[in-house]
Amino acid sequence: MKKQQVSSARLGELSWLTEVKESVQPLTEQYPIWVRHGVVQAGPTIPHPERHPYCEFSTILEGRAVAYVGREDVERKAGDYFLAGPGVAHWYKGTQYPVRFAAVYFL
């Protein structure tokens, strides 16, 4: 497995953290898993930086994107996985389109 190059962001690059919004998916104790998938042709792969009160496991199926997670950023390509715990601020910016992804949210 190839190691990802993760870099720490400079202070000026952290402005996206001021735009983080709570994202709420339809999860309950009765339905503790929710799956989302899509294709983005241009722009960010999610509408705004987000955090949520549950875990997320996602993968890029096609294309590339820079993942901003807290104070770090990393280029993600098809086949890369992402796992975040509750409350972790994150955002993606496409760098090679289309970006096709799948995400699983779970309690």
Side-chain angles (χ1 to χ4, degrees):
M1 177 175 8
K2 185 177 177 184
K3 191 172 185 176
Q4 291 287 336
Q5 179 64 34
V6 177
S7 59
S8 293
R10 294 186 301 271
L11 188 58
E13 297 170 338
L14 297 174
S15 63
W16 69 271
L17 287 168
T18 64
E19 300 174 25
V20 173
K21 296 181 180 174
E22 182 86 0
S23 174
V24 181
Q25 310 302 344
L27 296 173
T28 64
E29 286 187 25
Q30 187 176 1
Y31 301 103
I33 298 173
W34 190 68
V35 178
R36 180 179 132 203
H37 60 90
V39 178
V40 178
Q41 300 294 338
T45 60
I46 53 178
H48 52 76
E50 67 180 16
R51 63 181 165 79
H52 30 70
Y54 36 78
C55 297
E56 175 181 340
F57 177 76
S58 64
T59 186
I60 292 183
L61 303 167
E62 178 182 1
R64 290 179 180 264
V66 174
Y68 299 93
V69 183
R71 296 183 62 149
E72 298 178 337
D73 58 77
V74 64
E75 172 94 349
R76 292 183 60 205
K77 61 185 182 333
D80 289 347
Y81 295 102
F82 172 72
L83 177 63
V88 174
H90 57 284
W91 187 53
Y92 303 96
K93 183 177 180 182
T95 57
Q96 180 183 352
Y97 297 95
V99 176
R100 191 165 49 100
F101 67 92
V104 178
Y105 304 91
F106 57 98
L107 296 178

XYZ file of all heavy atoms in Angstrom:
863
model
N 0.840 -1.163 0.000
C 0.000 0.000 0.000
C 0.895 1.240 0.000
O 1.828 1.348 0.776
C -0.892 -0.005 1.230
C -1.714 1.223 1.305
S -2.964 1.403 2.621
C -2.791 0.103 3.723
N 0.580 2.195 -0.875
C 1.363 3.411 -0.986
C 0.935 4.405 0.089
O -0.252 4.611 0.331
C 1.164 4.032 -2.365
C 2.028 5.223 -2.601
C 1.834 5.752 -4.012
C 2.663 6.989 -4.210
N 2.434 7.585 -5.505
N 1.906 5.033 0.733
C 1.638 6.005 1.782
C 1.214 7.335 1.171
O 1.810 7.791 0.195
C 2.883 6.190 2.635
C 2.639 6.970 3.879
C 3.869 6.940 4.756
C 3.565 7.632 6.053
N 4.676 7.546 6.975
N 0.180 7.964 1.717
C -0.303 9.252 1.244
C 0.581 10.371 1.761
O 1.072 10.319 2.884
C -1.737 9.499 1.743
C -2.765 8.611 1.125
C -3.050 8.996 -0.302
O -2.843 10.117 -0.719
N -3.527 8.046 -1.076
N 0.775 11.404 0.955
C 1.512 12.587 1.379
C 0.531 13.554 2.020
O -0.319 14.124 1.353
C 2.202 13.245 0.178
C 2.970 14.497 0.521
C 4.142 14.225 1.451
O 4.775 13.183 1.378
N 4.422 15.140 2.337
N 0.616 13.705 3.335
C -0.256 14.599 4.090
C 0.541 15.832 4.448
O 1.690 15.735 4.870
C -0.771 13.921 5.379
C -1.613 14.884 6.193
C -1.557 12.669 5.042
N -0.053 17.005 4.264
C 0.651 18.229 4.624
C -0.180 19.041 5.605
O -1.404 18.992 5.584
C 0.962 19.056 3.377
O -0.231 19.390 2.703
N 0.514 19.765 6.479
C -0.155 20.660 7.409
C -0.416 21.975 6.694
O 0.456 22.501 6.002
C 0.710 20.899 8.642
O 0.816 19.704 9.371
N -1.594 22.513 6.899
C -1.968 23.757 6.243
C -1.370 24.956 6.968
O -1.207 24.937 8.186
C -3.488 23.881 6.207
N -1.053 25.998 6.192
C -0.613 27.254 6.790
C -1.846 27.979 7.314
O -2.972 27.712 6.894
C 0.114 28.098 5.751
C 1.429 27.437 5.296
C 2.221 28.339 4.366
N 1.515 28.708 3.159
C 1.537 28.014 2.019
N 2.237 26.902 1.942
N 0.864 28.429 0.967
N -1.637 28.909 8.229
C -2.737 29.599 8.884
C -3.731 30.189 7.894
O -4.935 30.044 8.045
C -2.191 30.683 9.817
C -3.210 31.375 10.710
C -3.926 30.350 11.582
C -2.536 32.421 11.559
N -3.252 30.832 6.833
C -4.135 31.442 5.838
C -4.986 30.437 5.080
O -6.038 30.770 4.554
N -4.534 29.180 5.017
C -5.269 28.138 4.300
C -6.368 27.509 5.145
O -7.085 26.641 4.675
C -4.298 27.056 3.832
C -3.265 27.564 2.844
C -2.179 26.546 2.573
O -1.972 25.646 3.413
O -1.525 26.658 1.528
N -6.485 27.920 6.386
C -7.480 27.331 7.291
C -8.790 28.112 7.323
O -9.679 27.797 8.097
C -6.902 27.221 8.712
C -5.689 26.312 8.843
C -5.125 26.389 10.255
C -6.047 24.889 8.489
N -8.934 29.130 6.471
C -10.143 29.958 6.490
C -11.408 29.146 6.227
O -12.487 29.517 6.677
C -10.024 31.101 5.490
O -9.914 30.595 4.180
N -11.291 28.015 5.527
C -12.467 27.175 5.250
C -13.110 26.678 6.548
O -14.311 26.413 6.580
C -12.113 26.003 4.340
C -11.238 24.957 4.952
C -9.875 24.931 4.963
C -11.667 23.791 5.657
N -9.429 23.814 5.625
C -10.511 23.101 6.069
C -12.906 23.258 5.985
C -10.562 21.908 6.790
C -12.959 22.066 6.694
C -11.796 21.418 7.095
N -12.324 26.603 7.635
C -12.877 26.117 8.906
C -13.936 27.057 9.468
O -14.798 26.640 10.247
C -11.757 25.904 9.927
C -10.879 24.683 9.664
C -9.632 24.716 10.534
C -11.657 23.397 9.913
N -13.909 28.334 9.069
C -14.920 29.286 9.543
C -16.274 29.045 8.869
O -17.278 29.580 9.309
C -14.486 30.746 9.302
O -14.375 30.967 7.894
C -13.168 31.045 9.990
N -16.281 28.261 7.802
C -17.513 28.004 7.050
C -18.120 26.627 7.338
O -19.080 26.222 6.687
C -17.221 28.115 5.549
C -16.704 29.472 5.148
C -16.274 29.521 3.697
O -16.783 28.708 2.895
O -15.432 30.366 3.366
N -17.569 25.899 8.303
C -18.055 24.542 8.615
C -19.486 24.610 9.131
O -19.819 25.420 9.990
C -17.140 23.854 9.652
C -17.734 22.525 10.088
C -15.748 23.655 9.074
N -20.336 23.743 8.574
C -21.738 23.651 8.988
C -22.031 22.234 9.433
O -21.414 21.282 8.970
C -22.665 24.035 7.838
C -22.496 25.462 7.412
C -23.445 25.811 6.303
C -23.212 27.271 5.921
N -23.971 27.681 4.791
N -22.989 22.112 10.334
C -23.432 20.791 10.788
C -24.234 20.136 9.659
O -25.152 20.739 9.117
C -24.304 20.926 12.039
C -24.765 19.616 12.596
C -23.771 18.975 13.558
O -22.702 19.555 13.804
O -24.087 17.911 14.054
N -23.859 18.944 9.286
C -24.575 18.180 8.266
C -25.336 17.069 8.970
O -24.766 16.348 9.780
C -23.567 17.589 7.278
O -24.209 16.733 6.376
N -26.605 16.960 8.671
C -27.432 15.959 9.349
C -28.029 15.007 8.317
O -28.724 15.434 7.402
C -28.552 16.633 10.167
C -29.391 15.601 10.875
C -27.956 17.611 11.172
N -27.719 13.740 8.451
C -28.279 12.696 7.594
C -29.381 11.976 8.380
O -29.430 12.068 9.596
C -27.184 11.709 7.165
C -25.934 12.345 6.608
C -26.166 13.225 5.395
O -27.193 13.168 4.753
N -25.205 14.056 5.085
N -30.243 11.234 7.699
C -31.380 10.582 8.366
C -30.984 9.315 9.132
O -31.389 8.210 8.788
C -32.328 10.266 7.203
C -31.418 10.090 6.033
C -30.279 11.054 6.251
N -30.164 9.477 10.183
C -29.733 8.337 10.989
C -30.488 8.306 12.311
O -30.687 9.341 12.945
C -28.231 8.423 11.284
C -27.304 8.326 10.082
C -25.877 8.600 10.492
C -27.398 6.968 9.446
N -30.891 7.100 12.706
C -31.543 6.900 13.994
C -31.056 5.569 14.557
O -30.372 4.809 13.858
C -33.080 6.837 13.849
O -33.415 5.678 13.065
C -33.640 8.086 13.183
N -31.409 5.267 15.785
C -31.049 3.961 16.339
C -31.697 2.834 15.539
O -31.122 1.766 15.398
C -31.444 3.891 17.808
C -30.527 4.704 18.699
C -30.808 4.507 20.161
O -31.353 3.451 20.551
O -30.468 5.416 20.925
N -32.877 3.091 15.002
C -33.565 2.087 14.190
C -32.910 1.939 12.817
O -32.879 0.858 12.247
C -35.034 2.462 14.020
C -35.850 1.390 13.340
C -37.326 1.755 13.280
O -37.734 2.813 13.722
N -38.123 0.862 12.716
N -32.381 3.052 12.269
C -31.709 3.056 10.964
C -30.326 3.683 11.136
O -30.120 4.851 10.802
C -32.529 3.840 9.935
C -33.912 3.288 9.740
C -35.016 3.902 10.312
C -34.108 2.134 8.989
C -36.289 3.379 10.145
C -35.380 1.610 8.807
C -36.461 2.246 9.400
O -37.710 1.733 9.231
N -29.337 2.922 11.646
C -28.038 3.485 12.008
C -27.030 3.640 10.857
O -25.918 4.077 11.081
C -27.512 2.495 13.036
C -28.100 1.181 12.608
C -29.472 1.522 12.072
N -27.440 3.302 9.631
C -26.541 3.405 8.479
C -27.263 4.130 7.346
O -28.444 3.875 7.081
C -26.095 2.007 7.988
C -25.315 1.294 9.090
C -25.253 2.111 6.724
C -24.974 -0.144 8.767
N -26.547 5.023 6.668
C -27.107 5.734 5.525
C -26.028 5.829 4.459
O -24.872 6.143 4.764
C -27.567 7.133 5.938
C -28.370 7.838 4.897
C -29.622 7.515 4.466
C -27.993 8.987 4.157
N -30.042 8.394 3.501
C -29.052 9.315 3.293
C -26.847 9.768 4.130
C -29.022 10.383 2.424
C -26.811 10.847 3.262
C -27.892 11.144 2.422
N -26.363 5.549 3.203
C -25.399 5.556 2.104
C -25.744 6.676 1.129
O -26.909 6.880 0.791
C -25.396 4.195 1.356
C -24.431 4.227 0.183
C -25.057 3.066 2.317
N -24.705 7.373 0.694
C -24.867 8.464 -0.273
C -23.835 8.262 -1.378
O -22.705 7.845 -1.107
C -24.616 9.787 0.446
C -24.747 10.998 -0.412
C -24.497 12.249 0.426
N -23.565 13.056 -0.315
C -22.768 13.964 0.177
N -22.743 14.189 1.452
N -21.971 14.646 -0.595
N -24.201 8.554 -2.613
C -23.249 8.462 -3.721
C -23.586 9.536 -4.739
O -24.692 10.076 -4.736
C -23.274 7.071 -4.370
C -24.599 6.706 -4.932
N -24.943 6.991 -6.225
C -25.674 6.112 -4.374
C -26.186 6.569 -6.447
N -26.647 6.035 -5.331
N -22.612 9.851 -5.575
C -22.885 10.874 -6.568
C -21.715 11.090 -7.501
O -20.651 10.498 -7.359
N -21.952 11.979 -8.465
C -20.931 12.379 -9.432
C -20.920 13.904 -9.466
O -21.963 14.531 -9.603
C -21.236 11.835 -10.847
C -20.183 12.305 -11.834
C -21.332 10.321 -10.831
N -19.740 14.482 -9.327
C -19.578 15.937 -9.381
C -18.776 16.267 -10.632
O -17.696 15.718 -10.841
C -18.860 16.453 -8.107
C -18.654 17.948 -8.181
C -19.633 16.058 -6.863
N -19.322 17.157 -11.462
C -18.679 17.509 -12.727
C -17.742 18.711 -12.598
O -16.845 18.879 -13.419
C -19.738 17.808 -13.784
C -20.656 16.648 -14.067
C -19.949 15.460 -14.709
O -18.893 15.576 -15.311
N -20.538 14.279 -14.570
N -17.943 19.562 -11.567
C -17.104 20.750 -11.355
C -17.322 21.262 -9.935
O -18.368 21.024 -9.337
C -17.469 21.837 -12.355
N -16.321 21.954 -9.408
C -16.447 22.586 -8.093
C -16.234 21.623 -6.938
O -15.751 20.509 -7.113
N -16.620 22.067 -5.728
C -16.439 21.227 -4.546
C -17.332 19.993 -4.590
O -18.410 20.020 -5.182
C -16.821 22.138 -3.376
C -17.408 23.359 -3.953
C -17.185 23.364 -5.425
N -16.889 18.919 -3.972
C -17.685 17.684 -3.996
C -18.779 17.674 -2.938
O -19.671 16.845 -2.998
C -16.790 16.450 -3.810
O -16.129 16.537 -2.561
C -15.764 16.347 -4.921
N -18.699 18.581 -1.970
C -19.798 18.808 -1.032
C -20.043 20.313 -1.014
O -19.118 21.089 -1.237
C -19.526 18.241 0.391
C -18.205 18.742 0.953
C -19.557 16.737 0.390
C -17.917 18.247 2.366
N -21.288 20.769 -0.778
C -21.619 22.192 -0.941
C -20.849 23.140 -0.020
O -20.609 24.279 -0.359
C -23.111 22.264 -0.634
C -23.598 20.871 -0.539
C -22.428 19.966 -0.438
N -20.481 22.683 1.155
C -19.780 23.527 2.123
C -18.995 22.621 3.069
O -19.305 21.437 3.190
C -20.769 24.394 2.905
C -21.882 23.595 3.514
N -21.717 22.824 4.644
C -23.163 23.410 3.130
C -22.853 22.210 4.929
N -23.737 22.535 4.026
N -17.991 23.159 3.735
C -17.297 22.353 4.736
C -18.301 21.864 5.781
O -19.230 22.583 6.135
C -16.299 23.343 5.347
C -16.093 24.375 4.292
C -17.427 24.501 3.603
N -18.091 20.634 6.254
C -19.090 20.060 7.161
C -18.459 19.277 8.305
O -17.289 18.942 8.292
C -20.035 19.145 6.387
C -19.368 17.893 5.839
C -20.325 16.984 5.077
O -21.429 17.412 4.703
O -19.947 15.833 4.843
N -19.284 19.014 9.275
C -19.007 18.081 10.370
C -20.354 17.474 10.721
O -21.403 18.027 10.378
C -18.367 18.779 11.570
C -19.240 19.810 12.219
C -18.533 20.478 13.384
N -19.214 21.692 13.777
C -20.309 21.733 14.510
N -20.867 20.627 14.948
N -20.876 22.869 14.817
N -20.343 16.318 11.373
C -21.607 15.695 11.748
C -21.413 14.832 12.982
O -20.293 14.448 13.313
C -22.216 14.892 10.590
C -21.216 14.300 9.651
N -20.380 13.253 9.978
C -20.887 14.631 8.379
C -19.607 12.953 8.954
N -19.885 13.777 7.971
N -22.513 14.517 13.676
C -22.426 13.796 14.953
C -22.350 12.273 14.813
O -22.795 11.545 15.685
C -23.706 14.228 15.669
C -24.683 14.458 14.574
C -23.867 15.003 13.420
N -21.810 11.779 13.725
C -21.681 10.343 13.488
C -20.448 10.097 12.637
O -19.795 11.033 12.191
C -22.929 9.786 12.798
C -23.534 10.740 11.807
C -22.974 10.903 10.554
C -24.636 11.519 12.142
C -23.492 11.803 9.662
C -25.161 12.428 11.244
C -24.587 12.560 10.010
O -25.099 13.468 9.127
N -20.108 8.872 12.394
C -18.907 8.514 11.621
C -19.206 8.512 10.125
O -20.350 8.334 9.712
C -18.421 7.127 12.033
S -17.908 7.026 13.759
N -18.147 8.701 9.331
C -18.258 8.646 7.874
C -17.117 7.799 7.320
O -15.965 7.961 7.709
C -18.162 10.044 7.274
C -18.139 10.038 5.764
C -18.020 11.427 5.159
O -18.317 12.417 5.836
O -17.610 11.506 3.981
N -17.462 6.913 6.397
C -16.485 6.123 5.659
C -16.796 6.360 4.190
O -17.922 6.112 3.744
C -16.616 4.634 6.002
C -15.689 3.757 5.216
C -14.343 3.697 5.527
C -16.161 3.000 4.160
C -13.474 2.891 4.801
C -15.307 2.187 3.430
C -13.959 2.140 3.753
N -15.821 6.865 3.431
C -16.101 7.173 2.030
C -14.922 6.789 1.146
O -13.813 6.563 1.621
C -16.421 8.662 1.859
O -15.306 9.453 2.186
N -15.214 6.744 -0.151
C -14.177 6.450 -1.136
C -14.446 7.243 -2.404
O -15.597 7.554 -2.724
C -14.105 4.943 -1.458
O -12.985 4.702 -2.309
C -15.362 4.437 -2.120
N -13.376 7.555 -3.106
C -13.484 8.158 -4.431
C -13.402 7.009 -5.432
O -12.481 6.198 -5.379
C -12.374 9.192 -4.660
C -12.606 10.393 -3.746
C -12.322 9.603 -6.125
C -11.611 11.505 -3.924
N -14.378 6.938 -6.310
C -14.450 5.870 -7.304
C -13.835 6.282 -8.643
O -13.392 5.430 -9.416
C -15.904 5.445 -7.497
C -16.605 4.981 -6.218
C -18.109 4.889 -6.436
C -16.032 3.675 -5.754
N -13.833 7.592 -8.905
C -13.285 8.120 -10.155
C -12.882 9.564 -9.911
O -13.547 10.283 -9.167
C -14.353 8.046 -11.252
C -13.933 8.598 -12.583
C -15.053 8.552 -13.618
O -16.168 8.117 -13.303
O -14.779 8.959 -14.753
N -11.801 10.009 -10.525
C -11.350 11.387 -10.392
C -10.392 11.574 -9.227
O -9.867 10.604 -8.665
N -10.191 12.833 -8.870
C -9.293 13.193 -7.760
C -9.867 14.400 -7.031
O -10.567 15.218 -7.633
C -7.901 13.573 -8.260
C -7.098 12.422 -8.798
C -5.737 12.919 -9.283
N -4.939 11.832 -9.799
C -4.024 11.174 -9.100
N -3.768 11.513 -7.857
N -3.347 10.190 -9.643
N -9.516 14.515 -5.755
C -9.935 15.664 -4.955
C -8.937 15.881 -3.831
O -8.286 14.943 -3.374
C -11.326 15.424 -4.375
N -8.819 17.124 -3.408
C -8.030 17.423 -2.220
C -8.988 17.355 -1.039
O -10.048 17.985 -1.048
C -7.378 18.816 -2.299
C -6.685 19.155 -0.987
C -6.393 18.867 -3.449
N -8.625 16.565 -0.040
C -9.421 16.454 1.184
C -8.804 17.372 2.225
O -7.610 17.286 2.505
C -9.428 15.018 1.682
N -9.621 18.266 2.761
C -9.204 19.132 3.861
C -9.834 18.565 5.121
O -11.053 18.445 5.212
C -9.680 20.562 3.628
C -9.107 21.170 2.367
C -9.791 21.094 1.161
C -7.863 21.800 2.397
C -9.254 21.645 0.007
C -7.327 22.347 1.236
C -8.029 22.262 0.051
O -7.502 22.800 -1.090
N -8.996 18.195 6.058
C -9.476 17.583 7.304
C -8.766 18.279 8.455
O -7.549 18.123 8.614
C -9.195 16.067 7.338
C -9.770 15.448 8.600
C -9.747 15.380 6.098
N -9.528 19.061 9.219
C -8.897 19.816 10.296
C -7.785 20.686 9.751
O -7.985 21.472 8.847
N -6.570 20.501 10.256
C -5.425 21.317 9.832
C -4.593 20.649 8.745
O -3.498 21.087 8.445
C -4.540 21.611 11.034
C -5.241 22.443 12.085
C -4.317 22.756 13.201
N -3.208 23.538 12.646
C -2.550 24.453 13.297
N -2.845 24.698 14.541
N -1.554 25.112 12.729
N -5.089 19.578 8.159
C -4.316 18.844 7.158
C -5.058 18.782 5.828
O -6.277 18.922 5.780
C -4.031 17.422 7.645
C -3.214 17.379 8.910
C -2.975 15.964 9.407
O -3.744 15.054 9.064
O -2.011 15.792 10.149
N -4.288 18.567 4.772
C -4.904 18.319 3.467
C -4.111 17.230 2.758
O -2.923 17.063 3.001
C -4.979 19.592 2.620
C -3.633 20.230 2.371
O -2.889 19.715 1.517
O -3.316 21.231 3.029
N -4.819 16.472 1.921
C -4.193 15.370 1.188
C -4.938 15.165 -0.132
O -6.155 15.323 -0.195
C -4.187 14.061 2.025
C -5.594 13.579 2.310
C -3.381 12.977 1.348
N -4.193 14.864 -1.185
C -4.794 14.556 -2.486
C -5.348 13.137 -2.430
O -4.633 12.209 -2.052
C -3.736 14.669 -3.592
C -4.213 14.180 -4.940
C -4.773 15.268 -5.831
O -4.986 16.387 -5.361
O -4.998 14.981 -7.003
N -6.624 12.971 -2.766
C -7.249 11.653 -2.802
C -7.554 11.296 -4.245
O -8.004 12.135 -5.011
C -8.550 11.653 -1.988
C -8.301 11.815 -0.500
C -9.584 11.749 0.285
N -10.239 10.469 0.071
C -11.544 10.281 0.204
N -12.333 11.269 0.538
N -12.070 9.102 0.004
N -7.300 10.034 -4.586
C -7.560 9.557 -5.947
C -8.503 8.360 -5.870
O -8.814 7.872 -4.789
C -6.256 9.200 -6.642
C -5.472 8.102 -5.957
C -4.142 7.907 -6.634
C -3.301 6.819 -6.056
N -3.441 6.450 -4.692
N -8.923 7.897 -7.023
C -9.818 6.737 -7.074
C -9.209 5.579 -6.294
O -8.030 5.264 -6.452
C -10.072 6.336 -8.527
N -10.009 4.981 -5.431
C -9.557 3.859 -4.619
C -9.129 4.242 -3.213
O -8.983 3.383 -2.355
N -8.921 5.542 -2.947
C -8.552 5.978 -1.606
C -9.780 5.999 -0.704
O -10.893 6.295 -1.158
C -7.927 7.373 -1.633
C -6.547 7.393 -2.253
O -5.962 6.304 -2.437
O -6.057 8.495 -2.546
N -9.557 5.706 0.575
C -10.634 5.687 1.569
C -10.459 6.814 2.566
O -9.352 7.300 2.787
C -10.656 4.356 2.319
C -10.981 3.199 1.441
C -9.982 2.352 1.006
C -12.283 2.963 1.019
C -10.273 1.280 0.164
C -12.578 1.903 0.191
C -11.572 1.067 -0.232
O -11.866 0.021 -1.064
N -11.564 7.204 3.200
C -11.564 8.246 4.222
C -12.454 7.771 5.361
O -13.559 7.291 5.138
C -12.124 9.545 3.613
C -12.363 10.637 4.611
C -11.307 11.302 5.194
C -13.652 11.007 4.950
C -11.521 12.314 6.104
C -13.889 12.019 5.863
C -12.816 12.679 6.437
N -11.960 7.893 6.572
C -12.734 7.534 7.751
C -12.640 8.681 8.737
O -11.532 9.105 9.090
C -12.206 6.249 8.393
C -12.888 5.801 9.688
C -14.358 5.468 9.444
C -12.154 4.604 10.275
N -13.790 9.211 9.154
C -13.818 10.315 10.114
C -14.775 9.981 11.244
O -15.851 9.432 11.023
C -14.259 11.602 9.432
N -14.375 10.346 12.428
C -15.224 10.182 13.598
C -16.183 11.357 13.741
O -16.109 12.331 12.980
N -17.070 11.301 14.719
C -18.030 12.383 14.939
C -17.326 13.720 15.198
O -16.321 13.778 15.898
C -18.787 11.929 16.184
C -18.586 10.453 16.251
C -17.231 10.197 15.660
N -17.860 14.781 14.591
C -17.369 16.127 14.850
C -16.139 16.560 14.077
O -15.685 17.693 14.222
N -15.574 15.711 13.222
C -14.364 16.067 12.473
C -14.746 16.960 11.283
O -15.508 16.555 10.415
C -13.630 14.802 11.971
C -12.459 15.174 11.074
C -13.165 13.958 13.144
N -14.193 18.163 11.245
C -14.462 19.090 10.145
C -13.724 18.616 8.899
O -12.547 18.277 8.955
C -13.999 20.490 10.523
N -14.435 18.593 7.746
C -13.812 18.160 6.501
C -14.512 18.787 5.299
O -15.642 19.246 5.398
C -13.800 16.633 6.387
C -15.148 16.010 6.475
N -15.833 15.862 7.657
C -15.948 15.486 5.529
C -16.989 15.270 7.430
N -17.085 15.044 6.136
N -13.784 18.763 4.171
C -14.270 19.364 2.933
C -13.436 18.816 1.794
O -12.281 18.427 1.988
C -14.128 20.882 3.017
C -14.732 21.653 1.898
C -16.011 21.571 1.432
C -14.091 22.658 1.124
N -16.200 22.466 0.400
C -15.029 23.148 0.193
C -12.804 23.184 1.105
C -14.736 24.124 -0.726
C -12.517 24.172 0.180
C -13.480 24.637 -0.721
N -13.971 18.756 0.599
C -13.244 18.250 -0.569
C -13.348 19.245 -1.719
O -14.398 19.822 -1.945
C -13.832 16.918 -1.052
C -13.840 15.861 0.006
C -14.971 15.624 0.763
C -12.704 15.109 0.252
C -14.972 14.656 1.744
C -12.699 14.140 1.231
C -13.840 13.921 1.972
O -13.825 12.968 2.944
N -12.266 19.375 -2.437
C -12.245 20.224 -3.628
C -11.735 19.370 -4.776
O -10.630 18.840 -4.726
C -11.321 21.415 -3.387
C -11.286 22.396 -4.514
C -10.404 23.567 -4.144
C -10.363 24.576 -5.270
N -9.483 25.690 -4.929
N -12.555 19.192 -5.792
C -12.168 18.370 -6.933
C -10.975 18.944 -7.671
O -10.849 20.164 -7.814
N -10.092 18.045 -8.135
C -8.940 18.474 -8.932
C -8.902 17.770 -10.290
O -8.202 18.209 -11.187
C -7.613 18.200 -8.178
O -7.528 16.813 -7.857
C -7.518 19.037 -6.922
N -9.644 16.672 -10.421
C -9.761 15.960 -11.704
C -11.191 15.429 -11.774
O -11.601 14.623 -10.950
C -8.758 14.818 -11.773
C -8.821 14.045 -13.069
C -7.844 12.859 -13.079
O -7.027 12.710 -12.188
N -7.959 12.021 -14.084
N -11.931 15.912 -12.776
C -13.351 15.581 -12.889
C -13.590 14.575 -14.000
O -12.786 14.487 -14.911
C -14.146 16.863 -13.162
C -14.047 17.843 -12.025
C -13.096 18.864 -12.040
C -14.874 17.731 -10.925
C -13.001 19.754 -10.987
C -14.781 18.619 -9.870
C -13.837 19.627 -9.918
O -13.747 20.494 -8.867
N -14.716 13.865 -13.948
C -15.705 13.890 -12.874
C -15.173 13.198 -11.618
O -14.313 12.331 -11.684
C -16.883 13.117 -13.463
C -16.271 12.185 -14.454
C -15.063 12.905 -15.012
N -15.715 13.621 -10.466
C -15.408 12.960 -9.200
C -16.645 12.128 -8.835
O -17.720 12.661 -8.614
C -15.099 13.966 -8.072
C -14.880 13.237 -6.755
C -13.887 14.814 -8.434
N -16.460 10.815 -8.851
C -17.546 9.889 -8.476
C -17.172 9.329 -7.113
O -16.050 8.896 -6.890
C -17.673 8.784 -9.512
C -18.933 7.942 -9.351
C -19.205 7.111 -10.604
N -18.072 6.382 -11.091
C -17.851 5.075 -10.862
N -18.706 4.368 -10.178
N -16.780 4.499 -11.363
N -18.129 9.356 -6.183
C -17.837 8.959 -4.795
C -18.979 8.153 -4.195
O -20.106 8.153 -4.708
C -17.608 10.214 -3.933
C -18.858 11.037 -3.768
C -19.700 10.824 -2.689
C -19.197 11.994 -4.701
C -20.872 11.563 -2.550
C -20.365 12.737 -4.575
C -21.200 12.519 -3.486
N -18.665 7.493 -3.112
C -19.674 6.799 -2.290
C -19.284 7.039 -0.837
O -18.107 7.021 -0.485
C -19.692 5.307 -2.592
N -20.296 7.282 0.000
C -20.057 7.543 1.421
C -21.069 6.753 2.251
O -22.241 6.649 1.887
C -20.173 9.030 1.729
N -20.591 6.209 3.354
C -21.440 5.506 4.302
C -21.343 6.236 5.628
O -20.245 6.459 6.146
C -20.997 4.026 4.487
C -21.870 3.324 5.514
C -21.003 3.296 3.166
N -22.484 6.639 6.163
C -22.556 7.307 7.458
C -23.121 6.308 8.452
O -24.056 5.564 8.125
C -23.467 8.535 7.377
C -23.020 9.505 6.296
C -23.519 9.414 5.010
C -22.093 10.493 6.583
C -23.106 10.293 4.017
C -21.676 11.374 5.608
C -22.189 11.267 4.322
O -21.771 12.129 3.341
N -22.572 6.282 9.650
C -23.056 5.293 10.619
C -22.880 5.783 12.044
O -21.999 6.606 12.324
C -22.356 3.944 10.421
C -20.855 3.995 10.520
C -20.215 3.660 11.699
C -20.090 4.382 9.427
C -18.827 3.697 11.797
C -18.705 4.416 9.507
C -18.083 4.073 10.699
N -23.766 5.291 12.903
C -23.705 5.665 14.329
C -22.633 4.879 15.037
O -22.231 3.825 14.633
C -25.042 5.402 15.006
C -26.208 6.237 14.467
C -27.492 5.857 15.190
C -25.936 7.719 14.642
